[in-house]
Coordinates of all heavy atoms in Angstrom, one line a residue:
M23 N 64.9 -34.7 -60.0 CA 65.9 -34.8 -58.9 C 65.1 -34.9 -57.6 O 64.2 -34.1 -57.4 CB 66.9 -33.6 -58.9 CG 68.0 -33.7 -57.9 SD 69.2 -32.4 -58.2 CE 70.2 -33.2 -59.5
P24 N 65.5 -35.8 -56.7 CA 64.8 -35.8 -55.4 C 65.0 -34.6 -54.5 O 66.1 -33.9 -54.7 CB 65.3 -37.1 -54.7 CG 66.6 -37.3 -55.4 CD 66.5 -36.8 -56.8
T25 N 64.1 -34.3 -53.7 CA 64.1 -33.1 -52.9 C 63.9 -33.4 -51.4 O 63.1 -34.3 -51.1 CB 63.0 -32.1 -53.3 OG1 63.2 -31.8 -54.7 CG2 63.0 -30.8 -52.5
V26 N 64.7 -32.7 -50.5 CA 64.4 -32.8 -49.1 C 64.0 -31.4 -48.7 O 64.5 -30.4 -49.2 CB 65.7 -33.3 -48.3 CG1 66.9 -32.4 -48.6 CG2 65.4 -33.4 -46.8
T27 N 63.1 -31.3 -47.7 CA 62.6 -30.0 -47.2 C 63.1 -29.9 -45.8 O 62.8 -30.7 -44.9 CB 61.1 -29.9 -47.3 OG1 60.7 -29.9 -48.7 CG2 60.6 -28.5 -46.8
F28 N 63.8 -28.8 -45.5 CA 64.1 -28.4 -44.1 C 63.2 -27.3 -43.7 O 63.0 -26.3 -44.3 CB 65.6 -27.9 -44.1 CG 66.6 -28.9 -44.5 CD1 67.0 -29.0 -45.9 CD2 67.2 -29.8 -43.6 CE1 67.9 -29.9 -46.3 CE2 68.1 -30.7 -44.1 CZ 68.5 -30.7 -45.4
V29 N 62.6 -27.5 -42.5 CA 61.7 -26.5 -42.0 C 62.3 -25.9 -40.7 O 62.5 -26.6 -39.7 CB 60.3 -27.2 -41.6 CG1 59.3 -26.1 -41.1 CG2 59.7 -27.9 -42.9
E30 N 62.5 -24.6 -40.8 CA 63.1 -23.9 -39.7 C 62.1 -23.9 -38.5 O 60.9 -24.1 -38.7 CB 63.5 -22.5 -40.0 CG 64.7 -22.4 -41.0 CD 65.0 -20.9 -41.2 OE1 65.6 -20.3 -40.3 OE2 64.8 -20.4 -42.3
H31 N 62.6 -23.6 -37.3 CA 61.8 -23.5 -36.1 C 60.6 -22.6 -36.3 O 59.5 -22.9 -35.7 CB 62.7 -23.1 -34.9 CG 62.0 -23.1 -33.6 ND1 61.7 -24.3 -33.0 CD2 61.4 -22.1 -32.9 CE1 61.0 -24.0 -31.9 NE2 60.9 -22.7 -31.8
D32 N 60.8 -21.5 -37.1 CA 59.7 -20.6 -37.2 C 58.7 -21.0 -38.4 O 57.8 -20.2 -38.7 CB 60.2 -19.2 -37.5 CG 61.0 -19.0 -38.8 OD1 61.0 -20.0 -39.6 OD2 61.4 -17.9 -39.1
G33 N 59.0 -22.1 -39.0 CA 58.1 -22.6 -40.0 C 58.6 -22.4 -41.4 O 57.9 -22.8 -42.4
T34 N 59.7 -21.7 -41.6 CA 60.2 -21.3 -42.9 C 60.7 -22.6 -43.6 O 61.6 -23.2 -43.1 CB 61.3 -20.3 -42.8 OG1 60.8 -19.1 -42.2 CG2 61.8 -19.9 -44.2
P35 N 60.2 -23.0 -44.8 CA 60.7 -24.2 -45.4 C 61.8 -23.8 -46.4 O 61.9 -22.8 -47.0 CB 59.5 -24.6 -46.2 CG 58.7 -23.4 -46.5 CD 59.0 -22.4 -45.4
H36 N 62.7 -24.8 -46.6 CA 63.8 -24.7 -47.6 C 63.8 -26.0 -48.4 O 64.1 -27.1 -47.8 CB 65.1 -24.5 -46.9 CG 65.2 -23.3 -46.1 ND1 65.6 -22.0 -46.6 CD2 64.9 -23.0 -44.8 CE1 65.6 -21.1 -45.7 NE2 65.2 -21.7 -44.5
H37 N 63.4 -26.0 -49.6 CA 63.4 -27.1 -50.5 C 64.7 -27.3 -51.2 O 65.2 -26.3 -51.9 CB 62.3 -27.0 -51.5 CG 60.9 -26.7 -50.9 ND1 60.2 -27.7 -50.2 CD2 60.2 -25.6 -50.8 CE1 59.1 -27.1 -49.7 NE2 59.1 -25.9 -50.1
V38 N 65.4 -28.4 -51.0 CA 66.7 -28.6 -51.6 C 66.8 -29.8 -52.4 O 66.4 -30.9 -51.9 CB 67.8 -28.6 -50.4 CG1 69.2 -28.8 -51.0 CG2 67.7 -27.4 -49.6
D39 N 67.3 -29.7 -53.6 CA 67.5 -30.9 -54.5 C 68.7 -31.6 -53.9 O 69.7 -31.0 -53.4 CB 67.7 -30.5 -55.9 CG 66.5 -29.9 -56.6 OD1 65.4 -30.2 -56.1 OD2 66.7 -29.2 -57.6
F40 N 68.7 -33.0 -54.1 CA 69.9 -33.7 -53.7 C 70.2 -34.9 -54.6 O 69.3 -35.3 -55.3 CB 69.8 -34.2 -52.2 CG 68.8 -35.3 -52.0 CD1 69.2 -36.7 -52.1 CD2 67.5 -35.1 -51.7 CE1 68.3 -37.7 -51.9 CE2 66.6 -36.1 -51.5 CZ 67.0 -37.4 -51.6
T41 N 71.5 -35.3 -54.6 CA 71.9 -36.5 -55.3 C 72.3 -37.5 -54.2 O 72.9 -37.2 -53.2 CB 73.1 -36.2 -56.2 OG1 74.1 -35.6 -55.5 CG2 72.6 -35.3 -57.4
A42 N 71.9 -38.7 -54.4 CA 72.2 -39.8 -53.5 C 73.7 -39.9 -53.2 O 74.5 -39.6 -54.1 CB 71.7 -41.1 -54.0
G43 N 74.0 -40.2 -52.0 CA 75.4 -40.3 -51.6 C 75.9 -39.2 -50.7 O 76.9 -39.4 -50.0
Q44 N 75.2 -38.1 -50.7 CA 75.6 -37.0 -49.7 C 74.9 -37.2 -48.4 O 73.8 -37.8 -48.4 CB 75.2 -35.6 -50.3 CG 75.9 -35.2 -51.5 CD 75.3 -33.8 -52.0 OE1 74.2 -33.7 -52.3 NE2 76.2 -32.8 -51.9
S45 N 75.5 -36.8 -47.3 CA 74.7 -36.8 -46.1 C 73.7 -35.7 -46.1 O 73.9 -34.7 -46.8 CB 75.7 -36.7 -44.9 OG 76.1 -35.4 -44.7
V46 N 72.7 -35.8 -45.2 CA 71.8 -34.7 -45.1 C 72.4 -33.4 -44.6 O 72.1 -32.3 -45.0 CB 70.6 -35.1 -44.1 CG1 69.7 -33.9 -43.8 CG2 69.8 -36.3 -44.7
M47 N 73.4 -33.5 -43.8 CA 74.2 -32.4 -43.3 C 74.9 -31.7 -44.5 O 74.8 -30.5 -44.7 CB 75.2 -32.8 -42.3 CG 76.0 -31.6 -41.7 SD 77.5 -31.2 -42.7 CE 78.6 -32.5 -42.3
E48 N 75.5 -32.5 -45.4 CA 76.2 -31.9 -46.6 C 75.1 -31.3 -47.5 O 75.4 -30.2 -48.1 CB 76.9 -33.0 -47.3 CG 78.1 -33.5 -46.5 CD 78.8 -34.7 -47.1 OE1 78.0 -35.6 -47.6 OE2 80.0 -34.9 -47.0
I49 N 74.0 -31.9 -47.7 CA 73.0 -31.3 -48.5 C 72.6 -30.0 -48.0 O 72.4 -29.0 -48.8 CB 71.7 -32.3 -48.6 CG1 72.1 -33.6 -49.3 CG2 70.6 -31.6 -49.2 CD1 71.1 -34.7 -49.1
A50 N 72.4 -29.9 -46.7 CA 71.9 -28.6 -46.1 C 73.0 -27.5 -46.2 O 72.8 -26.4 -46.6 CB 71.5 -28.8 -44.7
T51 N 74.2 -27.9 -45.8 CA 75.3 -26.9 -45.7 C 75.7 -26.4 -47.1 O 76.0 -25.3 -47.3 CB 76.5 -27.4 -44.9 OG1 77.0 -28.6 -45.5 CG2 76.2 -27.6 -43.5
N52 N 75.7 -27.3 -48.1 CA 76.0 -27.0 -49.5 C 75.0 -26.0 -50.0 O 75.3 -25.3 -51.0 CB 76.1 -28.2 -50.4 CG 77.4 -29.0 -50.1 OD1 78.3 -28.5 -49.4 ND2 77.4 -30.3 -50.5
S53 N 73.8 -26.0 -49.5 CA 72.8 -25.1 -49.9 C 72.5 -23.9 -48.9 O 71.5 -23.2 -49.1 CB 71.5 -25.9 -50.2 OG 71.6 -26.8 -51.2
A54 N 73.4 -23.8 -48.0 CA 73.3 -22.7 -47.0 C 72.0 -22.6 -46.3 O 71.4 -21.6 -46.0 CB 73.6 -21.4 -47.7
V55 N 71.5 -23.8 -45.9 CA 70.2 -23.8 -45.1 C 70.5 -23.3 -43.7 O 71.4 -23.8 -43.1 CB 69.7 -25.3 -45.0 CG1 68.5 -25.4 -44.1 CG2 69.3 -25.8 -46.4
P56 N 69.8 -22.3 -43.3 CA 70.1 -21.7 -41.9 C 69.8 -22.8 -40.9 O 68.8 -23.5 -41.0 CB 69.1 -20.6 -41.8 CG 68.6 -20.3 -43.2 CD 68.7 -21.6 -44.0
G57 N 70.6 -22.9 -39.8 CA 70.3 -23.7 -38.7 C 71.0 -25.1 -38.8 O 70.9 -25.8 -37.8
I58 N 71.7 -25.4 -39.8 CA 72.5 -26.6 -39.9 C 73.9 -26.2 -40.0 O 74.3 -25.5 -41.0 CB 72.1 -27.5 -41.1 CG1 70.7 -28.0 -41.0 CG2 73.1 -28.7 -41.2 CD1 70.5 -29.2 -40.1
E59 N 74.7 -26.4 -39.0 CA 76.1 -25.9 -39.0 C 77.1 -26.9 -39.4 O 78.0 -26.6 -40.1 CB 76.3 -25.3 -37.6 CG 75.4 -24.1 -37.4 CD 75.3 -23.7 -35.9 OE1 76.2 -24.1 -35.1 OE2 74.4 -23.0 -35.6
G60 N 77.0 -28.1 -38.8 CA 78.0 -29.2 -39.2 C 79.4 -28.9 -38.8 O 80.4 -29.1 -39.6
D61 N 79.6 -28.4 -37.6 CA 81.0 -27.9 -37.2 C 82.0 -29.0 -37.2 O 83.2 -28.6 -37.5 CB 80.9 -27.3 -35.8 CG 80.2 -25.9 -35.8 OD1 79.9 -25.4 -36.9 OD2 79.8 -25.4 -34.7
C62 N 81.7 -30.2 -37.0 CA 82.7 -31.2 -36.9 C 83.0 -31.9 -38.2 O 83.8 -32.8 -38.3 CB 82.4 -32.3 -35.8 SG 81.1 -33.4 -36.3
G63 N 82.3 -31.5 -39.3 CA 82.5 -32.0 -40.6 C 81.8 -33.4 -40.8 O 82.1 -34.1 -41.8
G64 N 81.0 -33.8 -39.9 CA 80.3 -35.1 -40.1 C 80.7 -36.2 -39.3 O 80.5 -37.4 -39.6
E65 N 81.4 -35.9 -38.2 CA 82.0 -37.0 -37.4 C 81.1 -37.4 -36.2 O 81.6 -38.1 -35.3 CB 83.4 -36.6 -36.8 CG 84.4 -36.3 -38.0 CD 84.7 -37.6 -38.8 OE1 84.8 -38.6 -38.2 OE2 84.8 -37.4 -40.0
A66 N 79.9 -36.9 -36.1 CA 79.0 -37.1 -35.0 C 79.6 -36.7 -33.7 O 79.4 -37.3 -32.7 CB 78.6 -38.6 -35.0
A67 N 80.3 -35.6 -33.7 CA 81.0 -35.1 -32.5 C 80.7 -33.7 -32.1 O 81.2 -33.3 -31.1 CB 82.5 -35.2 -32.8
C68 N 79.8 -33.0 -32.8 CA 79.5 -31.7 -32.4 C 78.0 -31.4 -32.1 O 77.7 -30.5 -31.3 CB 79.9 -30.7 -33.4 SG 79.0 -30.7 -35.0
G69 N 77.1 -32.1 -32.7 CA 75.7 -32.0 -32.4 C 75.1 -30.7 -33.1 O 74.0 -30.4 -32.7
T70 N 75.8 -30.1 -34.0 CA 75.2 -28.9 -34.7 C 74.5 -29.2 -36.0 O 74.3 -28.3 -36.8 CB 76.3 -27.9 -34.9 OG1 77.3 -28.4 -35.9 CG2 77.1 -27.5 -33.6
C71 N 74.1 -30.4 -36.1 CA 73.3 -30.8 -37.3 C 72.0 -31.5 -36.9 O 71.5 -32.3 -37.7 CB 74.2 -31.7 -38.3 SG 74.6 -33.3 -37.6
H72 N 71.5 -31.2 -35.8 CA 70.3 -31.8 -35.2 C 69.1 -31.5 -36.1 O 68.8 -30.4 -36.5 CB 70.1 -31.2 -33.8 CG 68.9 -31.7 -33.1 ND1 68.5 -31.2 -31.9 CD2 68.0 -32.7 -33.4 CE1 67.4 -31.8 -31.4 NE2 67.1 -32.7 -32.3
V73 N 68.4 -32.6 -36.5 CA 67.2 -32.5 -37.2 C 66.2 -33.4 -36.6 O 66.5 -34.3 -35.9 CB 67.3 -32.8 -38.7 CG1 68.2 -31.9 -39.5 CG2 67.8 -34.3 -38.9
I74 N 64.9 -33.1 -36.8 CA 63.8 -33.9 -36.3 C 63.0 -34.5 -37.4 O 62.5 -33.8 -38.2 CB 62.9 -33.1 -35.3 CG1 63.8 -32.5 -34.2 CG2 61.8 -33.9 -34.7 CD1 63.3 -31.2 -33.6
V75 N 62.9 -35.8 -37.5 CA 62.2 -36.5 -38.5 C 60.8 -36.6 -38.2 O 60.4 -37.0 -37.0 CB 62.9 -37.9 -38.8 CG1 62.2 -38.6 -39.9 CG2 64.4 -37.8 -39.0
S76 N 59.9 -36.4 -39.1 CA 58.5 -36.6 -38.9 C 58.1 -38.0 -38.7 O 58.8 -38.9 -39.2 CB 57.7 -36.0 -40.0 OG 58.0 -36.6 -41.2
D77 N 57.0 -38.3 -38.0 CA 56.6 -39.6 -37.7 C 56.4 -40.5 -39.0 O 56.7 -41.6 -39.0 CB 55.3 -39.7 -36.9 CG 55.5 -39.3 -35.5 OD1 56.6 -39.3 -35.0 OD2 54.5 -38.9 -34.9
E78 N 55.9 -39.8 -40.1 CA 55.7 -40.6 -41.3 C 56.9 -41.0 -42.0 O 56.9 -41.8 -42.9 CB 54.7 -39.8 -42.2 CG 55.2 -38.4 -42.6 CD 54.6 -37.3 -41.7 OE1 54.2 -37.6 -40.5 OE2 54.4 -36.2 -42.2
W79 N 58.1 -40.3 -41.7 CA 59.3 -40.6 -42.4 C 60.3 -41.5 -41.5 O 61.3 -42.0 -42.1 CB 60.0 -39.3 -42.8 CG 59.5 -38.8 -44.1 CD1 58.6 -37.8 -44.3 CD2 59.8 -39.3 -45.4 NE1 58.4 -37.6 -45.6 CE2 59.1 -38.5 -46.3 CE3 60.6 -40.3 -45.9 CZ2 59.1 -38.7 -47.7 CZ3 60.6 -40.5 -47.3 CH2 59.9 -39.7 -48.1
I80 N 60.0 -41.6 -40.2 CA 61.0 -42.3 -39.4 C 61.2 -43.7 -39.8 O 62.3 -44.3 -39.6 CB 60.7 -42.1 -37.9 CG1 61.9 -42.4 -37.0 CG2 59.5 -42.9 -37.5 CD1 63.0 -41.4 -37.1
G81 N 60.2 -44.3 -40.3 CA 60.3 -45.7 -40.7 C 61.2 -45.9 -42.0 O 61.8 -46.9 -42.2
V82 N 61.3 -44.8 -42.7 CA 62.2 -44.8 -43.9 C 63.6 -44.5 -43.6 O 64.6 -45.1 -44.0 CB 61.6 -43.9 -45.0 CG1 62.5 -43.9 -46.2 CG2 60.2 -44.2 -45.4
T83 N 63.8 -43.4 -42.8 CA 65.1 -43.0 -42.4 C 65.8 -43.9 -41.4 O 67.0 -44.0 -41.3 CB 65.1 -41.5 -41.8 OG1 64.4 -41.5 -40.6 CG2 64.4 -40.6 -42.8
G84 N 65.0 -44.5 -40.5 CA 65.5 -45.2 -39.4 C 65.7 -44.3 -38.2 O 65.8 -43.1 -38.4
R85 N 65.8 -44.9 -37.1 CA 66.0 -44.1 -35.8 C 67.5 -43.9 -35.6 O 68.4 -44.6 -36.2 CB 65.4 -44.9 -34.7 CG 63.9 -44.9 -34.8 CD 63.2 -45.4 -33.5 NE 61.7 -45.4 -33.8 CZ 61.0 -44.3 -33.7 NH1 61.5 -43.1 -33.4 NH2 59.7 -44.4 -33.9
R86 N 67.8 -43.0 -34.7 CA 69.2 -42.7 -34.4 C 70.0 -43.9 -33.8 O 69.4 -44.7 -33.0 CB 69.3 -41.5 -33.5 CG 68.7 -41.6 -32.1 CD 68.9 -40.3 -31.4 NE 68.3 -40.3 -30.1 CZ 67.0 -39.9 -29.8 NH1 66.3 -39.3 -30.8 NH2 66.5 -39.9 -28.6
S87 N 71.3 -43.9 -34.0 CA 72.1 -45.0 -33.5 C 72.5 -44.6 -32.1 O 72.2 -43.5 -31.6 CB 73.4 -45.1 -34.3 OG 74.2 -43.9 -34.2
E88 N 73.1 -45.5 -31.4 CA 73.6 -45.3 -30.0 C 74.6 -44.2 -30.0 O 74.6 -43.3 -29.1 CB 74.2 -46.6 -29.5 CG 74.6 -46.5 -28.0 CD 73.4 -46.2 -27.1 OE1 72.3 -46.7 -27.4 OE2 73.5 -45.5 -26.1
R89 N 75.4 -44.1 -31.0 CA 76.4 -43.1 -31.1 C 75.8 -41.7 -31.3 O 76.2 -40.7 -30.6 CB 77.4 -43.3 -32.3 CG 78.5 -42.3 -32.4 CD 79.5 -42.7 -33.5 NE 80.5 -41.8 -33.6 CZ 81.2 -41.5 -34.7 NH1 80.9 -42.2 -35.8 NH2 82.1 -40.6 -34.8
E90 N 74.8 -41.6 -32.1 CA 74.0 -40.4 -32.3 C 73.3 -40.0 -31.0 O 73.3 -38.8 -30.6 CB 73.0 -40.5 -33.4 CG 73.5 -40.5 -34.8 CD 72.3 -40.8 -35.7 OE1 71.6 -39.8 -36.0 OE2 72.2 -41.9 -36.2
S91 N 72.8 -41.0 -30.3 CA 72.1 -40.7 -29.0 C 73.0 -40.1 -28.0 O 72.6 -39.2 -27.3 CB 71.5 -42.0 -28.5 OG 70.4 -42.4 -29.3
Q92 N 74.2 -40.6 -27.9 CA 75.2 -40.0 -26.9 C 75.4 -38.5 -27.1 O 75.5 -37.8 -26.2 CB 76.5 -40.7 -27.0 CG 76.4 -42.2 -26.5 CD 77.7 -42.9 -26.8 OE1 78.7 -42.4 -27.4 NE2 77.7 -44.2 -26.4
M93 N 75.3 -38.1 -28.4 CA 75.5 -36.6 -28.7 C 74.2 -35.9 -28.6 O 74.1 -34.9 -27.9 CB 76.1 -36.5 -30.1 CG 76.3 -35.1 -30.5 SD 77.4 -34.1 -29.4 CE 78.9 -35.1 -29.5
I94 N 73.2 -36.4 -29.2 CA 72.0 -35.6 -29.4 C 71.1 -35.5 -28.1 O 70.4 -34.6 -28.0 CB 71.2 -36.2 -30.6 CG1 70.4 -35.1 -31.3 CG2 70.2 -37.3 -30.2 CD1 70.0 -35.5 -32.7
E95 N 71.2 -36.5 -27.3 CA 70.4 -36.5 -26.1 C 70.9 -35.4 -25.1 O 70.2 -35.2 -24.0 CB 70.3 -37.9 -25.4 CG 69.4 -38.8 -26.3 CD 69.4 -40.2 -25.8 OE1 70.0 -40.5 -24.8 OE2 68.8 -41.0 -26.5
M96 N 72.0 -34.8 -25.4 CA 72.4 -33.6 -24.5 C 71.7 -32.4 -24.9 O 71.7 -31.4 -24.1 CB 74.0 -33.4 -24.7 CG 74.8 -34.5 -24.1 SD 76.5 -34.1 -24.1 CE 77.0 -34.2 -25.8
S97 N 71.0 -32.4 -26.0 CA 70.2 -31.2 -26.4 C 68.9 -31.1 -25.7 O 68.2 -32.1 -25.6 CB 69.9 -31.3 -27.9 OG 69.0 -30.3 -28.3
P98 N 68.6 -29.9 -25.2 CA 67.3 -29.8 -24.5 C 66.1 -29.9 -25.5 O 65.0 -30.1 -25.0 CB 67.3 -28.4 -23.9 CG 68.4 -27.7 -24.6 CD 69.4 -28.7 -25.1
E99 N 66.4 -29.8 -26.8 CA 65.3 -29.9 -27.8 C 65.3 -31.4 -28.4 O 64.6 -31.6 -29.4 CB 65.5 -28.9 -28.9 CG 65.4 -27.5 -28.4 CD 65.5 -26.5 -29.5 OE1 64.5 -26.2 -30.1 OE2 66.7 -26.0 -29.7
C100 N 66.0 -32.3 -27.8 CA 65.9 -33.7 -28.3 C 64.5 -34.2 -28.2 O 63.8 -34.1 -27.2 CB 66.9 -34.5 -27.5 SG 66.9 -36.3 -28.0
E101 N 64.1 -34.8 -29.3 CA 62.8 -35.5 -29.4 C 63.0 -36.9 -29.8 O 64.1 -37.4 -30.2 CB 61.9 -34.8 -30.4 CG 61.6 -33.3 -30.1 CD 60.6 -32.7 -31.0 OE1 59.9 -33.4 -31.7 OE2 60.5 -31.4 -31.0
A102 N 61.9 -37.7 -29.7 CA 62.0 -39.2 -30.0 C 62.6 -39.4 -31.4 O 63.3 -40.4 -31.6 CB 60.6 -39.8 -29.9
N103 N 62.3 -38.6 -32.4 CA 62.7 -38.8 -33.7 C 63.9 -37.9 -34.1 O 64.2 -37.7 -35.3 CB 61.6 -38.5 -34.7 CG 60.5 -39.5 -34.6 OD1 60.6 -40.6 -33.9 ND2 59.4 -39.3 -35.3
S104 N 64.6 -37.4 -33.1 CA 65.8 -36.5 -33.4 C 66.9 -37.4 -34.0 O 67.1 -38.6 -33.6 CB 66.3 -35.9 -32.1 OG 65.5 -34.9 -31.7
R105 N 67.6 -36.8 -35.0 CA 68.8 -37.5 -35.6 C 69.9 -36.4 -35.8 O 69.6 -35.2 -35.8 CB 68.4 -38.0 -37.0 CG 67.3 -39.1 -37.1 CD 67.9 -40.5 -36.7 NE 69.2 -40.8 -37.3 CZ 69.4 -41.6 -38.4 NH1 68.4 -42.0 -39.0 NH2 70.6 -41.8 -38.8
L106 N 71.1 -37.0 -36.1 CA 72.2 -36.1 -36.5 C 72.1 -36.2 -38.1 O 72.3 -37.3 -38.6 CB 73.5 -36.6 -36.0 CG 73.7 -36.4 -34.5 CD1 75.1 -37.0 -34.1 CD2 73.6 -35.0 -34.0
A107 N 72.0 -35.0 -38.7 CA 71.9 -35.0 -40.2 C 73.2 -35.6 -40.8 O 73.1 -36.1 -41.9 CB 71.6 -33.6 -40.7
C108 N 74.3 -35.5 -40.2 CA 75.5 -36.0 -40.8 C 75.5 -37.5 -40.8 O 76.4 -38.1 -41.5 CB 76.8 -35.5 -40.1 SG 77.0 -36.0 -38.4
Q109 N 74.7 -38.2 -40.1 CA 74.6 -39.6 -40.0 C 73.5 -40.2 -40.9 O 73.2 -41.4 -40.8 CB 74.5 -40.1 -38.6 CG 75.6 -39.6 -37.7 CD 77.0 -40.0 -38.2 OE1 77.3 -41.2 -38.4 NE2 77.9 -39.0 -38.5
M110 N 72.9 -39.3 -41.7 CA 71.8 -39.7 -42.5 C 72.2 -39.5 -44.0 O 72.6 -38.4 -44.4 CB 70.5 -38.9 -42.3 CG 70.0 -39.0 -40.9 SD 68.7 -37.7 -40.5 CE 67.4 -38.3 -41.6
T111 N 72.1 -40.6 -44.8 CA 72.4 -40.5 -46.2 C 71.2 -40.9 -47.0 O 71.0 -42.1 -47.2 CB 73.6 -41.4 -46.6 OG1 74.7 -41.0 -45.7 CG2 74.1 -41.2 -48.0
P112 N 70.5 -39.9 -47.5 CA 69.2 -40.3 -48.2 C 69.4 -40.9 -49.5 O 70.4 -40.5 -50.2 CB 68.5 -38.9 -48.3 CG 69.6 -37.9 -48.3 CD 70.7 -38.5 -47.4
S113 N 68.6 -41.8 -49.9 CA 68.6 -42.4 -51.2 C 67.4 -41.8 -52.0 O 66.6 -41.0 -51.5 CB 68.4 -43.9 -51.1 OG 67.3 -44.2 -50.3
D114 N 67.4 -42.1 -53.3 CA 66.3 -41.6 -54.2 C 64.9 -41.8 -53.7 O 64.0 -41.0 -53.9 CB 66.5 -42.1 -55.6 CG 67.7 -41.6 -56.3 OD1 68.3 -40.6 -55.9 OD2 68.1 -42.2 -57.3
D115 N 64.7 -42.9 -52.9 CA 63.4 -43.2 -52.4 C 63.0 -42.3 -51.2 O 61.9 -42.4 -50.7 CB 63.2 -44.7 -52.0 CG 64.1 -45.1 -50.9 OD1 65.0 -44.3 -50.5 OD2 63.9 -46.2 -50.3
M116 N 63.9 -41.4 -50.9 CA 63.5 -40.5 -49.8 C 63.1 -39.1 -50.4 O 63.1 -38.1 -49.7 CB 64.7 -40.3 -48.8 CG 64.9 -41.5 -48.0 SD 66.1 -41.2 -46.7 CE 66.6 -42.9 -46.3
D117 N 62.8 -39.1 -51.7 CA 62.3 -37.9 -52.3 C 61.1 -37.4 -51.5 O 60.1 -38.2 -51.3 CB 61.9 -38.2 -53.8 CG 61.4 -36.9 -54.5 OD1 61.8 -35.8 -54.1 OD2 60.6 -37.1 -55.5
G118 N 61.1 -36.1 -51.1 CA 60.0 -35.6 -50.4 C 60.2 -35.6 -48.9 O 59.4 -35.1 -48.1
L119 N 61.3 -36.1 -48.4 CA 61.7 -36.1 -47.0 C 61.6 -34.7 -46.4 O 62.1 -33.8 -47.0 CB 63.1 -36.7 -46.8 CG 63.7 -36.7 -45.4 CD1 62.9 -37.6 -44.5 CD2 65.2 -37.1 -45.4
T120 N 60.9 -34.6 -45.3 CA 60.8 -33.4 -44.6 C 61.4 -33.5 -43.2 O 61.1 -34.4 -42.5 CB 59.3 -32.9 -44.5 OG1 58.7 -32.8 -45.8 CG2 59.1 -31.6 -43.7
L121 N 62.2 -32.5 -42.8 CA 62.9 -32.5 -41.6 C 62.7 -31.2 -40.9 O 62.8 -30.1 -41.5 CB 64.4 -32.7 -41.8 CG 64.8 -34.0 -42.5 CD1 66.2 -33.9 -43.0 CD2 64.6 -35.2 -41.6
R122 N 62.4 -31.2 -39.6 CA 62.2 -30.0 -38.8 C 63.6 -29.7 -38.2 O 64.3 -30.6 -37.8 CB 61.2 -30.1 -37.7 CG 59.8 -30.1 -38.2 CD 58.8 -30.0 -37.0 NE 58.8 -31.2 -36.2 CZ 59.2 -31.1 -34.9 NH1 59.6 -30.0 -34.3 NH2 59.2 -32.3 -34.2
L123 N 63.9 -28.4 -38.0 CA 65.1 -28.0 -37.3 C 64.7 -27.5 -35.9 O 63.7 -26.8 -35.7 CB 65.8 -26.9 -38.1 CG 66.1 -27.2 -39.5 CD1 66.9 -26.0 -40.1 CD2 66.9 -28.5 -39.6
P124 N 65.6 -27.7 -34.9 CA 65.3 -27.2 -33.6 C 65.6 -25.7 -33.6 O 66.1 -25.1 -34.5 CB 66.4 -27.9 -32.7 CG 67.5 -28.2 -33.7 CD 66.9 -28.5 -35.0
E125 N 65.1 -25.0 -32.5 CA 65.4 -23.6 -32.4 C 66.8 -23.3 -32.3 O 67.3 -22.3 -32.9 CB 64.6 -23.0 -31.2 CG 64.7 -21.5 -31.2 CD 63.8 -20.9 -30.1 OE1 63.2 -21.6 -29.3 OE2 63.7 -19.6 -30.1
F126 N 67.6 -24.1 -31.6 CA 69.0 -23.9 -31.4 C 69.8 -25.1 -31.6 O 69.3 -26.2 -31.2 CB 69.3 -23.4 -29.9 CG 68.5 -22.1 -29.6 CD1 67.4 -22.1 -28.7 CD2 68.9 -20.9 -30.1 CE1 66.8 -21.0 -28.4 CE2 68.3 -19.7 -29.8 CZ 67.2 -19.8 -28.9
Q127 N 70.9 -25.0 -32.2 CA 71.9 -26.1 -32.3 C 72.8 -26.1 -31.0 O 72.9 -25.0 -30.4 CB 72.7 -26.1 -33.6 CG 71.9 -26.2 -34.8 CD 71.4 -27.7 -35.1 OE1 71.8 -28.6 -34.4 NE2 70.6 -27.8 -36.1
M128 N 73.3 -27.2 -30.6 CA 74.2 -27.2 -29.4 C 75.5 -26.4 -29.7 O 76.0 -26.3 -30.8 CB 74.5 -28.6 -29.0 CG 73.3 -29.3 -28.4 SD 73.8 -30.9 -27.6 CE 74.1 -31.9 -29.1
Ligands
LIG212 S1 78.2 -32.4 -38.2 FE1 78.9 -32.6 -36.2 S2 77.5 -34.0 -35.3 FE2 76.9 -33.8 -37.3

């Protein structure tokens, strides 16, 4: 089963198995990963699912959409590779995906 790793701001990793078809936000919240809240249920309307994609993975995941940018760029921790986890749906070829979490969600 493919795995995604969430790395908390303090460096604590959380390795989570996933099945294709779930959003990254759902993968995290279903596994109680600290720091991913998903308050709006995946509507790109709350910004509480902010993740930062590493440079080596951004070509696979793709960059954030304009809609994501409107929400995520309000965060003081927004980085070039910031995404909303609810707008990312990993496929099996994203096995090993690693995502950093900001210190605070909005
Ligand atoms: S869950 Fe609200 S923006 Fe992603």
